[in-house]
């Protein structure tokens, strides 16, 4: 989960048109978790972020600064580390979060961020991304790419060398 979050955070910090700090990303991501666990509260004072449940503080961390030689990559990774610690603290105290599972935590974290950054973006799961890629390119895990045929149906437009389609003897056309 940290790798997914760190990569996403670094890209946002480096490329987004409106400036966002690592503390912003952490707070927005944690706020997304309140859709699953409404008893969670998130407070921020400068770079200090506090997560509480039912008024009891679970964890307080000082978010990383954005500057430095590695800039967004370092700050994004450090912010992801902090967010992971917050999520672990919330997970240990919330049966609702545990029941929802890690994939939903990632999705809700990114949805919380996108709500603040870009209303036209959304997080999609790896499975949804694969399905969209297959629809876009016509290529699936079989090692072949389909194209519209003449009239009705489809034809094989490409076969990946060594893939399942090639091993089964399928050919272009």
């Amino acid at each position: 989960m940290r790798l997914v979050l760190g990569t996403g955070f670094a890209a946002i910090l480096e490329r987004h048109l409106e400036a966002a700090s690592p503390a912003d990303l952490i707070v927005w991501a944690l706020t997304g978790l309140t859709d699953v666990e409404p008893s969670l509260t998130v407070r921020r004072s400068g770079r200090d972020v506090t997560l509480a449940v039912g008024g009891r503080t679970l964890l307080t961390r000082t978010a990383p600064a954005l500057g430095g030689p590695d800039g967004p990559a370092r700050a994004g990774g450090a912010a992801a580390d902090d967010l992971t610690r917050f999520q672990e603290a919330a997970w240990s105290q919330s049966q609702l979060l545990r029941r929802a599972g890690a994939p939903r935590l990632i999705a809700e974290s990114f949805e919380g961020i996108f709500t603040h950054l870009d209303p036209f973006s959304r997080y999609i799961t790896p499975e949804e991304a694969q399905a969209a890629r297959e629809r876009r390119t016509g290529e699936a895990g079989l090692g072949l790419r389909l194209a519209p045929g003449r009239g009705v149906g489809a034809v094989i437009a490409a076969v990946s060398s060594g893939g399942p389609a090639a091993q089964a003897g399928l050919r272009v056309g």
Side-chain angles (χ1 to χ4, degrees):
M1 193 157 48
R2 188 261 184 229
L3 181 61
V4 171
L5 292 168
T7 301
F9 283 6
I12 290 167
L13 292 171
E14 183 176 27
R15 297 183 187 118
H16 200 271
L17 296 176
E18 294 179 26
S21 71
D24 291 331
L25 297 177
I26 293 168
V27 167
W28 296 337
L30 290 172
T31 301
L33 297 183
T34 63
D35 288 342
V36 178
E37 176 56 87
S39 69
L40 289 175
T41 56
V42 183
R43 293 186 311 276
R44 177 179 175 188
S45 176
R47 287 181 29 220
D48 292 338
V49 178
T50 300
L51 179 67
V53 63
R56 186 173 54 88
T57 297
L58 296 178
L59 184 65
T60 299
R61 304 276 303 169
T62 300
L66 185 54
D70 298 330
R74 185 196 54 74
D81 287 341
D82 285 345
L83 178 58
T84 301
R85 288 183 186 99
F86 280 113
Q87 289 172 330
E88 288 170 350
W91 181 279
S92 72
Q93 298 298 310
S94 169
Q95 187 176 30
L96 291 173
L97 290 177
R98 289 190 301 274
R99 227 180 292 140
R104 178 134 183 237
L105 262 67
I106 292 173
E108 293 296 340
S109 294
F110 276 112
E111 287 300 327
I113 292 167
F114 292 149
T115 297
H116 289 87
L117 289 178
D118 182 357
F120 302 104
S121 294
R122 68 180 185 91
Y123 173 80
I124 61 173
T125 66
E127 295 79 17
E128 291 169 326
Q130 178 63 32
R133 191 176 306 103
E134 289 172 7
R135 281 192 309 274
R136 234 182 8 262
T137 65
E139 191 167 331
L142 299 174
L144 60 85
R145 186 167 36 94
L146 299 175
R150 292 187 178 165
V152 180
V155 296
I156 297 174
V159 177
S160 299
S161 168
Q167 291 173 1
L170 296 175
R171 298 185 319 263
V172 171

